[in-house]
Amino acid sequence: MTSRLADVKTDSREPQVDLSVRIGRLTLANPVMPASGTFAEGLEQVFDFNRLGAFVTKTITRDYRSGNPTPRVAETASGMLNSIGIPSKGLATFLSDTLPFYRRYRPPLIVSISAPTAEQFAELARELTVPGIAAIEANISCPNIEADGRAFAMLPDSTETVVRRLRAATELPLWVKLTPNTADIAAVASAAEAAGADALVVANTILGMAVDADTFRPRLGSIMGGLSGPAVKPIILRMTYQAARAVSIPVIGCGGIGTAEDAVEYLLAGATAVQVGTATFLHPNATPEIIDGLATFCCRRGIARIEDLVGALVLDDASLPAAAS
Amino acid sequence: MTSRLADVKTDSREPQVDLSVRIGRLTLANPVMPASGTFAEGLEQVFDFNRLGAFVTKTITRDYRSGNPTPRVAETASGMLNSIGIPSKGLATFLSDTLPFYRRYRPPLIVSISAPTAEQFAELARELTVPGIAAIEANISCPNIEADGRAFAMLPDSTETVVRRLRAATELPLWVKLTPNTADIAAVASAAEAAGADALVVANTILGMAVDADTFRPRLGSIMGGLSGPAVKPIILRMTYQAARAVSIPVIGCGGIGTAEDAVEYLLAGATAVQVGTATFLHPNATPEIIDGLATFCCRRGIARIEDLVGALVLDDASLPAAAS
Amino acid sequence: MTLARPGQFFHLLCTGEMGMLAPFFRRPMSAYLADPSSGRLEFLYKVNGRGTRALAALQPGEELNVLGPLGRGFRLDPSWKNIVVVGRGVGLATLAPLAEAAAAQRIKVTAILSARRPDLLMSAERFQNTGARVLPVYDSDGSSAPEEVEKLLDRLIASRLADAFFVCGSQRLLRLLQRFSETHAIPGQVALEQQMACGLGMCFCCVRPFREDGKIAQRRVCWEGPVFNLQEALA
Amino acid sequence: MTLARPGQFFHLLCTGEMGMLAPFFRRPMSAYLADPSSGRLEFLYKVNGRGTRALAALQPGEELNVLGPLGRGFRLDPSWKNIVVVGRGVGLATLAPLAEAAAAQRIKVTAILSARRPDLLMSAERFQNTGARVLPVYDSDGSSAPEEVEKLLDRLIASRLADAFFVCGSQRLLRLLQRFSETHAIPGQVALEQQMACGLGMCFCCVRPFREDGKIAQRRVCWEGPVFNLQEALA
Ligand SMILES: Cc1cc2nc3c(=O)[nH]c(=O)nc-3n(C[C@H](O)[C@H](O)[C@H](O)COP(=O)(O)OP(=O)(O)OC[C@H]3O[C@@H](n4cnc5c(N)ncnc54)[C@H](O)[C@@H]3O)c2cc1C
Ligand SMILES: Cc1cc2nc3c(=O)[nH]c(=O)nc-3n(C[C@H](O)[C@H](O)[C@H](O)COP(=O)(O)OP(=O)(O)OC[C@H]3O[C@@H](n4cnc5c(N)ncnc54)[C@H](O)[C@@H]3O)c2cc1C
Ligand SMILES: Cc1cc2nc3c(=O)[nH]c(=O)nc-3n(C[C@H](O)[C@H](O)[C@H](O)COP(=O)(O)O)c2cc1C
Ligand SMILES: Cc1cc2nc3c(=O)[nH]c(=O)nc-3n(C[C@H](O)[C@H](O)[C@H](O)COP(=O)(O)O)c2cc1C
Ligand code: FES
Ligand code: FES
């Protein structure tokens, strides 16, 4: 029996390679950070927070929200569905309690935010433009079940509108988190870039559903929810590739990453950094292990700077796009 | 060691329940059929074809097509990517060789077709309106890599255009196979219904990608391909539910179905029948096993007619949609 | 050093089933025995679905990835002299270590152990070995019926053997104990269950509703619990 | 009844790795031995990636789901008296049953078995037991170099010991044999490999290019093969 809680703090070696990446005017010590909503103070028991490339908070809203009915999660093949529903203690508690906690650590703090309207998004970003916050991650991508899964980031237009308002509201670096529930990720990515985003996060969860064949009921209290985990990796990796080709700002890949090899695949496809979500639920020290694994990978392959991997996918003439099945 | 090839022909029991389902004016003996492109004459070695609810052919095109470069498939977590590229012997060979083969069996033959333009789609449907063909399945959903994954079925407009042309071209029942690479499956489904589709198949594969972290190359010869298998089930099940709520024609669910329980989940979510794809590659007799399993399920639960399961999802007041994570 | 305090749990990675990253989530299990001197950790569980089936399929010598101890366990107030522990089913797995901890603090334990039939009663011996007085009650002879358990409780309270209540494993017993706790102003604790993904307070999937200053608040079973104030839990 | 003809293969479900529906696909393996009388089926394989690693982890007595026999095996023309079998690496696993089938039909076999080093040569004994003449060639002493193998072939052809060629396991040997086959108008067959999903001709992922009436045609290795006409294969 192995208790990870007991043995991981010792596992921090100094990398020989330059793992740092630049996301706009921010430089991260390494390209690995938690995905919003899959990280919390509790992980302090498991590994040294100073090892992270950055912190990304659970999405916060201006006011208190209690979240969705239970069951809030369901297991699927190599993945999970969630309909947590962004429970949030609200802005005031965030500023008074959460912010001071993270200021004790070195990695930059990225604050994920959500709001029901573009104006309220901007207002929240303005109120969060305070010392100790390194960037805003606008979660305009969250499957909004009230609108049958629609969200700002489903269309280029609504993306552009909300990002412009956000851009005008804050001096902080502005990351925009996209939804995979769109038909054209490249168009949405371009709209966010045009409106002033400093980086894109690709992507949030894919809207899904599960049914219990015994009870004839949905497995989630709110019927539908977001799919994440290894199952979605091929889809989100493809979107990362499409988005990175479409824009010149950095793209941060997020979907099904659980190992250093997964992270390398995202970097090759064009991501400048990665976020790790669901993997942390199964292996709480997935993030530091990925960082170690990336250092090992670069050493073994003689790669001096991890940024050299970004977009280094090798295409030959034979692999020109053609019609698929 | 077990050789399925050797022992499955014996496994055909007569169901006690009424497994038949109506898809428009067609009545199928049971709701289970192969998905296009995942079935061929070779399976004759494995089980009795007369057990199927229907046959669905690999998508055929008017002219010969050789398909995509290799590698054409890649393994992913609980799924597979393919970029086979619709190799086709063309219409003439289909009519002279394939059609007579299937006429030896009882189940109705559904012919899947594809064409580059709406006009050519209609033309092909017209030429296939011959005895021995029970319905046309228009594969307007196939991720067309030439257009970076775009296909007719990505938008309601182009769906309506092509389905109208098809409807005018043939008297045969017209099934329309949708793509999951759309932002709004309900709108596309409604467009297909408005244009005269008799049934919808939800859905084709989800555009994805995989990268080899050793060679830095895409794992598929054509870079991107379609994701299928258990990994996609929550996504396609959700789309089946959304489509079935949006239209009054039958919806045929297709995505990650490998067991009778999977099929039940689709029926509960609103599918009238199901197609089995990737599962047949791993377990060639998945389809007859699902049919047996459905009969057993209905017996055990005292369900006299399988159609009673269609859309029988139980929702209570607590599971009203709310905002997701 | 303790390996785990009574009421704490471990999160078990039971990816045992061939051919699936399945079950995908870890499974929470109370530490049934956590002996720091031998490093021995025991779980007592009921085979339920895929996760527990995979656990049951483990062979001696095979490895199991466990995360923990997690959560907040039972708290024993040094002023208590006599406590009443009420459990049913595998809830007893959670309560057994509490009986030992109480004994170590010279707190006397009365354990009302409920089961469908005598042969399904679990851990009675372990409670007995701690010196606890064991009162088994069964569905089969009607002794587990609410009114019977109420009589037992009335007697214990009358005999001043109930400075605090501890309950686990039955919603019905929880409601019953809440009522007694309220009526007689006797404090209590309950160990609750809820589906868990992370087990570390990150995902907020394991919430349950609690009374908090007249309002209803959602608390995470893995983080604020799994042991909660008996009065605050909404049964 | 035969369990499998030489050159046919089985499709193995090696979902062995803990915690993943992984590897997702089956893995194709030639029947190294298929004895209908005992019902015994043997595979000889090189551990490569996840699938073969999972195979290697199987314990005696564990079950393995195999599908087959599949594909079209080698064809032996009754008019042939002497054949030459050329293989390398695990390609020999595919060719060994052919040597036995030839012996049963009183066809004499010369087997050129290529390996990196003598200790890596596989199945030589099995070929010898069939009565085949075994000519081992090695990289380590230079005897496996094309010009050396050519000399061997020239001699076999001169001695009329080459009514047909059979090759498996090396692209370089394939090209060499194709050249000899063409020059000397000697027929031949090659067993080819390609990644496979279904193994039953359904998915069209396993295609390779072949010469067909002056054009290039894609054929499925699992269905039209894995054994093909030596001349038609595009090496
Ligand atoms: C803190 C805590 C301690 C526990 N201690 C014990 C114990 O000591 N012995 C014991 O037998 N059981 C205990 N349980 C319950 C145990 O976690 C479930 O029986 C187990 O998760 C069921 O998994 P499964 O795969 O067998 O069932 P499935 O029904 O296949 O599980 C499906 C999902 O539901 C969850 N789930 C199902 N039942 C429960 C439940 N009762 N509580 C929480 N999640 C559930 C599973 O974790 C999984 O995510 C405890 C639960 C919690 C929360
Ligand atoms: C008809 C046929 C017969 C074969 N007989 C034998 C045999 O007797 N002994 C033996 O050692 N090997 C044989 N092979 C090769 C064997 O199938 C591969 O070594 C095996 O699939 C590798 O799987 P992996 O998971 O270890 O490797 P991975 O590299 O992890 O496999 C990744 C994917 O590529 C495929 N793949 C990788 N290498 C090959 C290959 N050489 N041929 C086909 N697919 C491949 C895998 O099947 C899988 O789909 C045969 C192949 C074919 C087509
Ligand atoms: C339980 C859970 C809660 C989440 N909460 C949020 C959230 O609050 N804000 C957000 O932007 N994304 C949220 N996500 C999405 C993740 O940040 C991430 O985009 C997604 O899970 C895909 O990555 P993964 O496959 O690595 O998990 C949540 C995901 C999960 C599983
Ligand atoms: C190898 C392969 C080939 C396919 N070819 C076709 C095709 O020709 N036409 C089509 O409409 N769908 C095709 N599909 C998609 C399937 O019919 C089905 O929609 C998809 O695989 C999802 O179902 P599944 O998860 O059960 O496999 C193909 C899928 C695979 C895996
Ligand atoms: S299980 Fe994740 S917060 Fe409790
Ligand atoms: S492996 Fe599917 S056609 Fe050959």
Side-chain angles (χ1 to χ4, degrees):
Chain A
M1 299 197 200
T2 52
S3 164
R4 282 171 182 263
L5 228 62
D7 61 20
V8 285
K9 282 230 176 176
T10 58
D11 185 22
S12 92
R13 86 190 77 148
E14 279 312 304
Q16 305 287 312
V17 289
D18 179 4
L19 288 182
S20 71
V21 294
R22 275 156 304 150
I23 310 284
R25 59 181 202 263
L26 269 184
T27 297
L28 312 185
N30 67 67
V32 188
M33 63 192 102
S36 175
T38 64
F39 182 83
E41 294 89 285
L43 272 181
E44 218 193 1
Q45 299 175 30
V46 183
F47 64 85
D48 176 3
F49 278 4
N50 281 323
R51 303 208 56 218
L52 294 173
F55 292 109
V56 182
T57 68
K58 169 111 193 124
T59 298
I60 64 163
T61 53
R62 194 161 202 302
D63 300 315
Y64 172 87
R65 285 168 55 97
S66 71
N68 282 339
T70 54
R72 290 179 168 188
V73 292
E75 296 180 308
T76 68
S78 299
M80 69 177 278
L81 286 167
N82 89 80
S83 61
I84 305 294
I86 314 199
S88 169
K89 293 201 171 142
L91 177 65
T93 310
F94 177 81
L95 292 173
S96 64
D97 298 3
T98 315
L99 186 54
F101 173 86
Y102 285 107
R103 292 197 70 167
R104 296 189 285 136
Y105 299 98
R106 270 197 308 274
L109 178 66
I110 321 299
V111 179
S112 170
I113 62 169
S114 177
T117 66
E119 181 46 41
Q120 286 171 279
F121 247 119
E123 182 54 35
L124 189 53
R126 197 173 296 125
E127 293 179 90
L128 284 163
T129 305
V130 298
I133 296 183
I136 299 285
E137 180 176 293
N139 175 12
I140 63 164
S141 53
C142 154
N144 183 346
I145 310 281
E146 279 154 345
D148 207 32
R150 267 178 213 90
F152 289 101
M154 280 179 75
L155 296 171
D157 279 5
S158 43
T159 299
E160 185 147 356
T161 309
V162 67
V163 176
R164 260 194 218 296
R165 292 295 271 277
L166 279 160
R167 179 69 295 167
T170 183
E171 299 278 278
L172 285 175
L174 178 61
W175 299 4
V176 176
K177 185 164 179 184
L178 305 185
T179 180
N181 302 305
T182 176
D184 194 344
I185 194 80
V188 175
S190 299
E193 179 182 39
D198 293 298
L200 304 176
V201 182
V202 176
N204 212 310
T205 51
I206 306 179
L207 196 64
M209 179 172 169
V211 170
D212 187 324
D214 274 333
T215 63
F216 290 18
R217 284 170 194 279
R219 283 191 189 274
L220 292 179
S222 28
I223 307 178
M224 292 186 257
L227 185 67
S228 63
V232 307
K233 196 182 87 175
I235 303 169
I236 308 297
L237 182 68
R238 179 264 297 182
M239 292 192 171
T240 298
Y241 176 69
Q242 292 178 314
R245 280 192 307 173
V247 299
S248 53
I249 52 176
V251 171
I252 299 161
C254 175
I257 297 170
T259 65
E261 196 176 285
D262 294 333
V264 169
E265 294 174 33
Y266 269 88
L267 296 176
L268 292 170
T272 303
V274 295
Q275 296 185 347
V276 179
T278 304
T280 298
F281 296 166
L282 308 186
H283 299 289
N285 58 337
T287 314
E289 279 176 5
I290 291 171
I291 298 167
D292 291 339
L294 284 177
T296 309
F297 180 90
C298 290
C299 283
R300 184 161 52 79
R301 301 291 296 248
I303 292 156
R305 301 165 356 109
I306 197 138
E307 285 199 329
D308 294 343
L309 284 176
V310 176
L313 191 70
V314 177
L315 301 181
D316 46 35
D317 297 348
S319 57
L320 285 179
S325 74
Chain B
M1 298 197 202
T2 52
S3 164
R4 282 171 180 262
L5 229 60
D7 60 21
V8 284
K9 280 230 178 177
T10 56
D11 185 24
S12 91
R13 87 190 76 148
E14 281 312 304
Q16 303 288 313
V17 288
D18 179 3
L19 289 182
S20 71
V21 293
R22 275 156 303 151
I23 311 283
R25 58 179 201 264
L26 269 185
T27 297
L28 312 184
N30 68 67
V32 188
M33 62 192 104
S36 175
T38 63
F39 183 82
E41 294 88 284
L43 271 183
E44 218 194 359
Q45 298 175 32
V46 182
F47 64 85
D48 175 5
F49 278 5
N50 282 323
R51 302 207 59 217
L52 294 173
F55 292 110
V56 183
T57 68
K58 168 111 192 125
T59 298
I60 64 163
T61 52
R62 195 163 200 303
D63 301 316
Y64 172 88
R65 285 168 55 98
S66 71
N68 283 338
T70 55
R72 288 178 169 190
V73 293
E75 296 180 309
T76 68
S78 299
M80 69 177 280
L81 286 166
N82 89 80
S83 62
I84 305 294
I86 314 199
S88 169
K89 293 201 171 140
L91 178 64
T93 310
F94 178 81
L95 291 173
S96 65
D97 298 5
T98 315
L99 186 53
F101 173 86
Y102 285 107
R103 292 196 70 168
R104 296 190 285 135
Y105 299 99
R106 269 197 308 273
L109 177 66
I110 320 299
V111 180
S112 169
I113 62 169
S114 177
T117 66
E119 181 46 40
Q120 286 171 278
F121 246 118
E123 182 55 33
L124 189 53
R126 198 172 298 124
E127 294 179 272
L128 284 163
T129 305
V130 297
I133 297 184
I136 299 285
E137 180 177 294
N139 175 11
I140 63 163
S141 55
C142 155
N144 182 346
I145 310 282
E146 280 154 344
D148 207 34
R150 266 176 215 93
F152 289 100
M154 281 178 75
L155 296 172
D157 279 4
S158 43
T159 299
E160 184 146 357
T161 308
V162 67
V163 176
R164 262 195 214 297
R165 293 293 270 275
L166 280 160
R167 179 70 294 166
T170 182
E171 299 280 277
L172 285 175
L174 178 60
W175 298 6
V176 176
K177 185 163 177 185
L178 305 184
T179 179
N181 301 305
T182 175
D184 194 344
I185 194 81
V188 174
S190 298
E193 178 182 39
D198 293 299
L200 304 176
V201 182
V202 177
N204 212 309
T205 52
I206 306 178
L207 196 65
M209 178 173 170
V211 170
D212 187 326
D214 275 333
T215 63
F216 290 18
R217 284 170 194 279
R219 284 190 189 273
L220 291 178
S222 27
I223 307 177
M224 292 184 258
L227 185 67
S228 62
V232 307
K233 196 183 88 175
I235 303 169
I236 307 298
L237 182 67
R238 179 264 298 180
M239 291 189 171
T240 299
Y241 176 69
Q242 292 178 315
R245 279 193 308 173
V247 300
S248 53
I249 52 177
V251 171
I252 299 161
C254 175
I257 298 169
T259 65
E261 197 177 286
D262 294 332
V264 169
E265 293 174 32
Y266 270 88
L267 296 176
L268 292 171
T272 302
V274 296
Q275 296 185 347
V276 179
T278 304
T280 297
F281 296 166
L282 308 186
H283 299 289
N285 58 338
T287 315
E289 280 177 3
I290 291 171
I291 298 167
D292 290 339
L294 284 177
T296 309
F297 180 90
C298 289
C299 282
R300 187 161 50 79
R301 301 290 296 249
I303 291 156
R305 301 165 356 110
I306 197 140
E307 285 199 328
D308 293 343
L309 284 176
V310 176
L313 191 70
V314 176
L315 302 180
D316 45 35
D317 298 348
S319 57
L320 285 178
S325 77
Chain C
M1 195 206 89
T2 45
L3 236 178
R5 280 192 302 275
Q8 282 195 305
F9 70 97
F10 286 80
H11 217 20
L12 278 50
L13 196 66
C14 2
T15 38
E17 210 160 302
M18 277 270 288
M20 285 286 253
L21 189 57
F24 191 71
F25 294 146
R26 288 173 179 263
R27 295 294 191 260
M29 284 294 162
S30 298
Y32 180 57
L33 184 114
D35 180 356
S37 62
S38 65
R40 193 176 168 85
L41 192 55
E42 284 181 18
F43 300 101
L44 176 70
Y45 59 92
K46 181 160 159 270
V47 175
N48 196 341
R50 289 203 301 191
T52 44
R53 264 204 310 274
L55 283 183
L58 281 175
Q59 299 300 314
E62 277 190 79
E63 281 215 357
L64 175 68
N65 182 311
V66 309
L67 173 73
L70 301 172
R72 290 162 47 111
F74 295 105
R75 288 161 293 273
L76 284 172
D77 188 318
S79 72
W80 294 334
K81 300 270 174 298
N82 299 282
I83 63 173
V84 177
V85 162
V86 186
R88 184 174 165 95
V90 284
L92 299 178
T94 312
L95 294 170
L98 171 68
E100 274 148 18
Q105 294 183 37
R106 300 179 179 281
I107 300 174
K108 282 231 173 73
V109 175
T110 309
I112 302 179
L113 309 185
S114 171
R116 271 197 288 141
R117 294 191 314 261
D119 57 309
L120 294 173
L121 187 72
M122 274 185 300
S123 311
E125 220 170 298
R126 213 169 129 201
F127 280 92
Q128 256 139 9
N129 291 343
T130 69
R133 184 158 68 123
V134 174
L135 305 176
V137 297
Y138 305 113
D139 301 359
S140 52
D141 64 6
S143 57
S144 69
E147 50 287 4
E148 297 300 319
V149 175
E150 285 174 20
K151 279 184 215 154
L152 284 181
L153 289 173
D154 277 330
R155 250 178 283 147
L156 291 169
I157 292 168
S159 326
R160 304 190 173 277
L161 289 173
D163 297 337
F165 293 128
F166 294 83
V167 60
C168 184
S170 156
Q171 287 292 311
R172 208 180 57 174
L173 289 173
L174 166 57
R175 277 189 296 268
L176 196 153
L177 269 289
Q178 283 183 321
R179 200 149 35 77
F180 269 76
S181 160
E182 174 139 33
T183 317
H184 300 276
I186 295 170
Q189 293 165 29
V190 57
L192 292 173
E193 296 185 357
Q194 180 62 289
Q195 190 184 20
M196 292 184 180
C198 74
L200 277 166
M202 301 186 277
C203 73
F204 287 83
C205 81
C206 64
V207 295
R208 292 181 67 112
F210 292 86
R211 270 181 222 98
E212 200 176 284
D213 311 327
K215 278 184 303 200
I216 289 175
Q218 303 288 338
R219 294 192 198 146
R220 291 162 293 185
V221 171
C222 75
W223 194 246
E224 283 93 16
V227 177
F228 294 92
N229 184 309
L230 183 59
Q231 287 298 337
E232 289 170 8
L234 281 174
Chain D
M1 194 205 93
T2 46
L3 235 177
R5 281 191 302 274
Q8 283 194 304
F9 70 97
F10 285 80
H11 216 22
L12 279 49
L13 196 67
C14 2
T15 38
E17 210 160 301
M18 278 270 288
M20 284 285 250
L21 190 55
F24 191 71
F25 294 146
R26 288 172 179 265
R27 296 293 192 258
M29 285 292 163
S30 298
Y32 179 56
L33 182 113
D35 181 355
S37 63
S38 66
R40 193 177 168 85
L41 191 56
E42 284 182 18
F43 301 102
L44 177 69
Y45 59 91
K46 181 160 160 270
V47 174
N48 196 341
R50 288 204 299 191
T52 45
R53 263 205 310 275
L55 283 183
L58 281 175
Q59 300 299 314
E62 277 190 77
E63 282 216 356
L64 175 68
N65 180 313
V66 310
L67 174 72
L70 301 172
R72 289 160 50 109
F74 295 105
R75 287 161 294 270
L76 284 173
D77 189 319
S79 71
W80 295 334
K81 300 271 176 294
N82 299 283
I83 63 172
V84 178
V85 162
V86 187
R88 185 175 165 95
V90 283
L92 300 179
T94 310
L95 294 170
L98 171 67
E100 274 148 18
Q105 294 183 37
R106 299 177 181 283
I107 300 174
K108 282 230 173 77
V109 175
T110 309
I112 302 180
L113 309 185
S114 172
R116 269 198 289 140
R117 293 191 315 262
D119 57 309
L120 294 174
L121 187 71
M122 273 185 300
S123 312
E125 220 171 297
R126 213 167 130 200
F127 281 93
Q128 256 139 9
N129 290 344
T130 70
R133 185 157 69 120
V134 173
L135 305 176
V137 298
Y138 305 113
D139 302 0
S140 52
D141 64 7
S143 58
S144 68
E147 50 287 6
E148 297 301 320
V149 175
E150 285 175 17
K151 278 186 216 153
L152 284 182
L153 288 173
D154 277 329
R155 250 178 284 148
L156 291 169
I157 292 169
S159 327
R160 304 188 174 277
L161 289 173
D163 298 338
F165 294 129
F166 294 83
V167 59
C168 184
S170 156
Q171 286 293 309
R172 210 180 53 176
L173 289 173
L174 166 56
R175 277 189 296 268
L176 196 153
L177 269 290
Q178 282 182 322
R179 199 148 35 74
F180 269 75
S181 159
E182 173 137 35
T183 316
H184 299 276
I186 294 170
Q189 292 165 30
V190 57
L192 291 173
E193 297 185 356
Q194 180 62 289
Q195 190 184 20
M196 292 182 180
C198 75
L200 276 167
M202 301 186 277
C203 73
F204 288 83
C205 80
C206 65
V207 296
R208 294 182 67 111
F210 293 86
R211 271 184 222 97
E212 199 175 287
D213 310 329
K215 281 185 300 200
I216 289 175
Q218 303 288 338
R219 293 192 199 147
R220 291 162 293 184
V221 171
C222 75
W223 194 246
E224 283 94 16
V227 176
F228 293 93
N229 183 309
L230 183 59
Q231 287 299 339
E232 290 171 7
L234 281 173

